Amino acid sequence: MMIWLRPTSKRRSLLLGCFTLLVIRTMLFVVHFYKDETARIRRPVPLRAGTQQSPVKATTANNYVEWSEKDFPYPQRKRLIIYWSGVRGHKVPVQKSPVNHTHFWPFFYGGKPGECPVPCELSNDESRAAEASAFVVHARPPDIYNLPPIENLAPWILQTNENPVYTPALYNSKIMSQFNLLISYRLDSDFPAPIYPMPGLSPPIPFQKRLGNVLAIFSKCEPVRTEYMRQLMNYIKVDSYGACLKNKEGLIGLYGKIDNRYVFKDHKLILSRYYKFSLVFMNQDCDYFIDDRLYHALTTGSVPVYMGTDKVDQFLPGNLKNSIIKVSDFKSPKELADYLNFLSNNETAYNKYLEWKWKGIGDISNTTIGRWWNPRYPLFCQVCMALAKGKLHLGLKLDYCEPRKYKDWGIKEPKNGNWDYYSMVVYGGFLLFVVVILVS
């Protein structure tokens, strides 16, 4: 035994190899565990060091106030709003006229001269900070780290169109306490502005001419919706053109360009017209979180199969109330697939989901989403009006959302075989190393 412990070169190499492989194995485990846990549950991570208050639910009261010209006696001084941060690291393109907001986010428009009861200008020129009546900051990193100068004493406005699971600033008390107004996808925010335009009434392609059953296009593979789609595929044909469970080619990538213009959504709108159903699975189930996936399906006449917030009905006013199929109404992916297969072979039942296309959307004037679709004044004009009235908050309420769970949607969490894979690779390499050392 003592002879075997003598420090020969072979044994030194063997010991060094053991230590190296142990380190590699540990690092692989840590990296895998961190990535798996982050992707699976998206645990809240504070943006900055410091004391954090416990996350609380945001207020459910609707802060929207509708003013008219008579509320603002003439003359009113001009309000200058500076969009201080970028959006996803890019300088905001301030709009000089209204545009189709299916292609433009987040609607950087304050109105034409004379259009707003309060003279209003939106700018991205940071050199005019001393003139500013307010500053706007986008809530996602890295933009949220670029905060306006404190010495100007102008109100701060937070803008977000992503939910709290992917926007830690929304439940960071240190950050939220510094802002005075909120522009958000939430219909109960100061200025509701979801990326969800009013669906179009263009006639859908006839039932018999649809080329496929179920369309799926997801570029980010959130674990729960991806697993649900995987199980759904066992019972009905799903054509997946996105990065998640991709089984179909032919759609340009998410950031694909033609003539220096992003065209992914244009191509998606054309493609979805030929499918009877579109999987409209939001990336989380946070209150009020809706984006343009729902718009794309409704506008093209591809009946949405919807997974997301249970407040979706507030986004479906008038005749839109019966236009979608909710995943939550079914106990399992198989039960949902059975219903989709039934509709695929029953034109009359299927067309009931498209009746709004012929009847029209109906009266939506008294709904929050209706006022967003048909605003009396442009978005940032409304902000200028609020500034003129002094309607500000001393900090914003925290908005926290529990990440989606498998059990919420009637499916079991899939078993993960990555641990066994890593073990086999590392231990196999270790065994090979030992053999080489001993026979050399």
Side-chain angles (χ1 to χ4, degrees):
M1 184 67 180
M2 296 301 294
I3 295 175
W4 180 235
L5 294 176
R6 290 175 185 173
T8 65
S9 59
K10 282 188 177 181
R11 290 173 192 130
R12 286 196 192 97
S13 299
L14 188 58
L15 290 172
L16 179 61
C18 291
F19 177 76
T20 302
L21 287 174
L22 181 63
V23 170
I24 292 173
R25 180 68 185 86
T26 303
M27 290 174 63
L28 285 172
F29 170 72
V30 170
V31 170
H32 161 66
F33 180 81
Y34 173 78
K35 289 176 67 178
D36 182 61
E37 286 298 291
T38 301
R40 185 171 67 86
I41 59 176
R42 300 293 298 189
R43 295 291 186 192
V45 180
L47 284 177
R48 299 175 181 173
T51 303
Q52 296 285 318
Q53 295 178 5
S54 299
V56 297
K57 293 285 186 182
T59 178
T60 57
N62 196 321
N63 296 316
Y64 180 82
V65 178
E66 190 167 25
W67 287 295
S68 62
E69 292 88 341
K70 64 182 181 181
D71 295 314
F72 300 93
Y74 184 83
Q76 286 283 331
R77 68 178 179 84
K78 182 178 181 179
R79 265 70 180 185
L80 171 65
I81 301 173
I82 295 182
Y83 210 112
W84 185 261
S85 75
V87 171
R88 301 182 186 274
H90 301 286
K91 200 174 185 68
V92 299
V94 174
Q95 299 166 221
K96 301 300 182 184
S97 64
V99 296
N100 180 346
H101 59 205
T102 63
H103 301 294
F104 227 101
W105 185 90
F107 334 125
F108 307 107
Y109 182 57
K112 298 176 182 177
E115 184 178 1
C116 188
V118 176
C120 183
E121 180 184 358
L122 178 66
S123 173
N124 58 15
D125 186 355
E126 296 181 359
S127 67
R128 301 178 65 187
E131 308 170 43
S133 302
F135 297 98
V136 184
V137 176
H138 183 230
R140 292 290 301 279
D143 314 315
I144 191 62
Y145 301 120
N146 181 20
L147 296 177
I150 298 176
E151 60 269 17
N152 290 90
L153 300 178
W156 290 6
I157 303 166
L158 189 66
Q159 182 158 20
T160 181
N161 274 88
E162 184 57 274
N163 64 67
V165 176
Y166 304 109
T167 313
L170 297 177
Y171 52 83
N172 185 310
S173 60
K174 205 171 185 180
I175 291 176
M176 295 293 278
S177 64
Q178 300 179 73
F179 286 87
N180 310 108
L181 289 169
L182 179 64
I183 302 173
S184 170
Y185 63 86
R186 294 186 63 107
L187 297 186
D188 60 354
S189 64
D190 297 305
F191 306 99
I195 310 179
Y196 174 55
M198 183 165 64
L201 295 174
S202 56
I205 287 179
F207 184 84
Q208 300 86 352
K209 294 185 178 180
R210 303 293 179 104
L211 302 179
N213 260 1
V214 183
L215 172 68
I217 304 174
F218 300 118
S219 59
K220 296 178 175 61
C221 304
E222 187 275 320
V224 179
R225 72 177 176 188
T226 304
E227 176 61 17
Y228 196 100
M229 180 169 71
R230 186 189 69 77
Q231 294 189 25
L232 188 68
M233 286 174 162
N234 293 329
Y235 308 106
I236 190 170
K237 189 175 187 302
V238 177
D239 289 346
S240 177
Y241 289 83
C244 311
L245 304 179
K246 185 172 185 175
N247 61 13
K248 204 77 170 171
E249 300 289 343
L251 180 64
I252 195 168
L254 179 61
Y255 299 106
K257 287 185 176 182
I258 294 179
D259 296 331
N260 204 35
R261 178 174 175 270
Y262 293 111
V263 295
F264 167 75
K265 291 184 178 180
D266 295 328
H267 288 203
K268 179 183 176 182
L269 287 170
I270 295 172
L271 180 65
S272 62
R273 285 175 56 82
Y274 291 91
Y275 281 84
K276 293 174 183 174
F277 308 99
S278 287
L279 297 188
V280 179
F281 292 1
M282 300 299 153
N283 61 23
Q284 291 295 333
D285 306 325
C286 304
D287 282 352
Y288 295 104
F289 181 68
I290 293 287
D291 62 21
D292 54 359
R293 290 182 185 87
L294 184 56
Y295 161 80
H296 294 153
L298 289 170
T299 290
T300 58
S302 179
V303 175
V305 180
Y306 172 82
M307 172 189 286
T309 174
D310 57 9
K311 297 185 184 296
V312 66
D313 291 335
Q314 296 185 39
F315 293 83
L316 300 169
N319 295 325
L320 286 170
K321 62 183 178 181
N322 297 317
S323 62
I324 71 172
I325 298 168
K326 297 178 183 177
V327 174
S328 58
D329 289 340
F330 301 87
K331 295 179 181 179
S332 67
K334 183 182 184 305
E335 190 176 297
L336 171 61
D338 289 344
Y339 184 64
L340 297 181
N341 280 319
F342 163 73
L343 292 177
S344 296
N345 297 296
N346 190 319
E347 183 176 357
T348 301
Y350 175 84
N351 282 336
K352 287 182 179 180
Y353 288 96
L354 297 174
E355 285 183 348
W356 65 274
K357 284 281 192 179
W358 294 279
K359 291 181 178 179
I361 294 177
D363 183 11
I364 59 174
S365 58
N366 291 324
T367 64
T368 303
I369 193 64
R371 289 190 289 266
W372 166 238
W373 289 342
N374 298 304
R376 188 171 184 179
Y377 302 107
L379 174 60
F380 279 96
C381 169
Q382 297 175 40
V383 176
C384 284
M385 294 162 76
L387 294 173
K389 284 293 185 181
K391 297 293 184 180
L392 304 173
H393 308 295
L394 296 177
L396 300 177
K397 286 185 176 291
L398 305 188
D399 186 4
Y400 178 70
C401 171
E402 283 288 339
R404 178 183 283 156
K405 297 179 177 62
Y406 292 94
K407 65 179 182 180
D408 296 339
W409 295 97
I411 57 176
K412 292 182 178 180
E413 183 173 353
K415 293 181 179 179
N416 196 326
N418 288 335
W419 167 267
D420 293 335
Y421 172 76
Y422 285 140
S423 298
M424 289 172 59
V425 171
V426 174
Y427 294 139
F430 173 72
L431 180 61
L432 180 63
F433 177 80
V434 170
V435 171
V436 170
I437 289 295
L438 292 179
V439 301
S440 61

